[in-house]
Amino acid sequence: MIDFWLNSDRVKNKVFIPKYYDPDIDLNLAKLEDTHQLLKVGDLVSREVLKLETGHEIGKLAYGTGDIPFVRTSDIANWETRSIPKQGVSEDIYETYKVKQDVAVGDILLVRDGTYLIGTNCIITELDKKIVYQSHLLKIRVNKDFIDPYAIFLALNSEIVQRQIRSFQFTADTIDTIGNRFLDVVLPIPRDLSLTARLSAEAKLAMEEREKGKAFIKQAPVILEETLLTGKLDYIDEFFASDLEEIVDELKQDTITSEFGKFEAFWRRSSDIKDKILLPKYYNPEVEKELSGLSVNCECVSIGSLIDAGVISDKTGVEIGKMAYGTGDIPFIRTSDFCNWEMKHNPKQGISQDIYDKYCGKIDLKKGDIFLVRDGTYLVGGSCIVTDRDTKALFCGGLYKLRVEDQSELDEWLLLALLNTYVVKRQLRTKQFTRDVIDTLGRRLYEVILPIPKDKKVRQGLSDKVRRVVEMRLDNRDKIMELSQQLTHV
């Protein structure tokens, strides 16, 4: 919209923000009246169809006390929580909030406070029901006697509902929020009950498929490490032969703190100090021990040597300036725009065709490239693979783009797998340092050792499994997007 007229008697609660009254939203909702029930969230709450609750702020002293996820707004992407969240809490803290928060399978978490993330949501599955969630998140519990939670989930992710959420968003103090205006959001649910049931069932199936893939990503450091140590694919084959219930029982719960290792103190000769680096973590003896064990079945080579040999090429992105943000719909990928090995379906910032044309020659983005976070704090070392869905984009200077140029010993899927092993993730953490006001890997990335399996069969097996997981998850991500739009296009 650009501008419109509104009579003064239609102004609600002294709200004078034009976007709040976006006439296109009313027009689009009116078009759905014959085929859909238009259900206001507030009415559904009054009828006890929905129950809304917010989380808690546990204080920063609780961060890192354990491995039970403390889910924050940035831990939700592509309708799921991060496989390895930024912060974890202890069992004692979890027990303090367990009953108060009462998280159950089928609950929906929706970002209430923030800026770009408001309206982002996920549905709780067996993988992540043991969590604590922060106060900026709204927990939506659906009374299953009235409607399937997945119908509400699809409605929340439809274009018309997301537009409403954006129009109701406002600034409270220093942060944006939707506040109690969420109660004014109208959810369109098809009057055709069989259609609603079908779409809900398909969405549930797509999410379950994605969750098994997410379970693999979450367990990947353990699975991959075992495969590299033994030189056999038995452990990975056993995982994929298991059903989700068995996987959940065996799942290792980790947060980012697990990447830092557990060593406390050790001796180091002054003659072994490199480049005047006096950070103890840089010399983590656990890493050397792990690499020594892996060397039996793996060729342990540095990323720098692979770049020198032309096996891998590396490049960083561009900084286009904040004035370019929001000028168009072409994604500008930043360090927070991917999660669980894949790009977000709704990156925060978009740019115009003119800006894209100006920089795309320098970027040279292709299917199979891998993004690795170079600058940040918790996100350093995070990675994802570029698919044919993502090639028309620019990316920021805080990312490395790694490309496999010679696939005789290594392909992009195997590289993605190796970057997500414990031994590599820990190395990335040991190389991380603070420069000015931000942490970075800098050129220390080149020192990181990759344990490449000597057995061609193992290399191919790992590559195939990782590729299938990512492709399956992306296909189902597309399916969910399609279903949410089908819900409102009858």
Side-chain angles (χ1 to χ4, degrees), residues 90 98 131 165 232 259 419 474:
S90 66
K98 177 182 177 182
I131 61 171
I165 290 172
K232 297 179 180 179
E259 297 173 4
L419 289 171
L474 288 172

Side-chain angles (χ1 to χ4, degrees), residues 296-349:
V296 175
N297 292 303
C298 299
E299 293 288 347
C300 295
V301 294
S302 70
I303 290 177
S305 65
L306 291 171
I307 290 172
D308 290 342
V311 177
I312 295 174
S313 63
D314 71 307
K315 204 168 192 177
T316 55
V318 295
E319 291 306 325
I320 58 176
K322 289 188 176 182
M323 294 298 291
Y325 293 177
T327 55
D329 296 323
I330 299 171
F332 178 59
I333 306 301
R334 304 194 299 172
T335 58
S336 58
D337 283 324
F338 49 90
C339 176
N340 299 344
W341 297 4
E342 66 187 32
M343 217 86 75
K344 289 183 180 179
H345 76 279
N346 55 346
K348 293 180 184 178
Q349 302 296 349

Side-chain angles (χ1 to χ4, degrees), residues 29-144:
L29 285 173
K31 290 178 180 177
L32 294 172
E33 283 183 322
D34 291 339
T35 56
H36 290 71
Q37 301 178 71
L38 301 181
L39 306 173
K40 186 175 286 191
V41 170
D43 294 339
L44 293 175
V45 172
S46 298
R47 291 163 47 194
E48 299 185 347
V49 177
L50 299 181
K51 182 180 180 182
L52 308 181
E53 294 181 328
T54 54
H56 299 81
E57 290 308 317
I58 61 175
K60 289 189 176 182
L61 290 177
Y63 293 179
T65 55
D67 290 325
I68 297 171
F70 178 55
V71 178
R72 304 192 296 173
T73 58
S74 58
D75 289 318
I76 297 175
N78 292 344
W79 313 296
E80 63 187 12
T81 58
R82 286 184 181 275
S83 58
I84 302 181
K86 295 179 185 178
Q87 302 294 352
V89 300
S90 66
E91 192 73 35
D92 287 344
I93 293 171
Y94 170 71
E95 289 296 330
T96 300
Y97 294 99
K98 177 182 177 182
V99 176
K100 299 176 187 176
Q101 297 204 338
D102 183 31
V103 178
V105 172
D107 287 345
I108 297 167
L109 296 182
L110 181 136
V111 177
R112 184 189 67 170
D113 306 329
T115 306
Y116 301 107
L117 296 179
I118 288 179
T120 301
N121 59 83
C122 71
I123 193 160
I124 298 297
T125 67
E126 290 289 344
L127 278 185
D128 45 27
K129 62 182 181 181
K130 188 175 182 179
I131 61 171
V132 178
Y133 66 98
Q134 76 171 158
S135 63
H136 297 316
L137 296 172
L138 192 65
K139 185 187 78 177
I140 305 170
R141 176 159 295 172
V142 182
N143 188 331
K144 298 176 184 177

Side-chain angles (χ1 to χ4, degrees), residues 201-311:
E202 289 185 24
K204 182 178 181 181
L205 181 61
M207 281 301 299
E208 286 175 348
E209 288 291 311
R210 277 181 60 80
E211 282 300 287
K212 187 163 185 179
K214 177 186 165 184
F216 172 75
I217 293 169
K218 191 174 184 68
Q219 196 77 343
V222 175
I223 296 171
L224 297 173
E225 204 93 342
E226 187 68 22
T227 301
L228 297 174
L229 278 168
T230 61
K232 297 179 180 179
L233 294 166
D234 298 358
Y235 201 74
I236 197 169
D237 289 336
E238 183 181 327
F239 176 91
F240 284 102
S242 305
D243 59 32
L244 189 57
E245 187 176 335
E246 292 173 318
I247 290 170
V248 169
D249 289 340
E250 297 295 324
L251 203 61
K252 182 176 175 60
Q253 189 67 269
D254 270 342
T255 58
I256 281 177
T257 53
S258 65
E259 297 173 4
F260 290 89
K262 298 178 180 179
F263 78 94
E264 295 180 356
F266 58 93
W267 290 99
R268 190 82 178 181
R269 293 180 180 276
S270 59
S271 58
D272 293 330
I273 298 298
K274 300 178 183 177
D275 301 324
K276 298 181 181 179
I277 297 172
L278 303 177
L279 296 173
K281 68 175 184 177
Y282 184 84
Y283 304 97
N284 185 345
E286 287 183 355
V287 172
E288 293 178 13
K289 185 177 178 181
E290 285 185 64
L291 288 171
S292 178
L294 290 168
S295 64
V296 175
N297 292 303
C298 299
E299 293 288 347
C300 295
V301 294
S302 70
I303 290 177
S305 65
L306 291 171
I307 290 172
D308 290 342
V311 177

Side-chain angles (χ1 to χ4, degrees), residues 172-191:
D173 296 326
T174 59
I175 192 171
D176 276 19
T177 183
I178 191 173
N180 288 330
R181 293 182 186 176
F182 183 66
L183 298 173
D184 295 329
V185 169
V186 175
L187 303 179
I189 303 296
R191 296 184 185 276

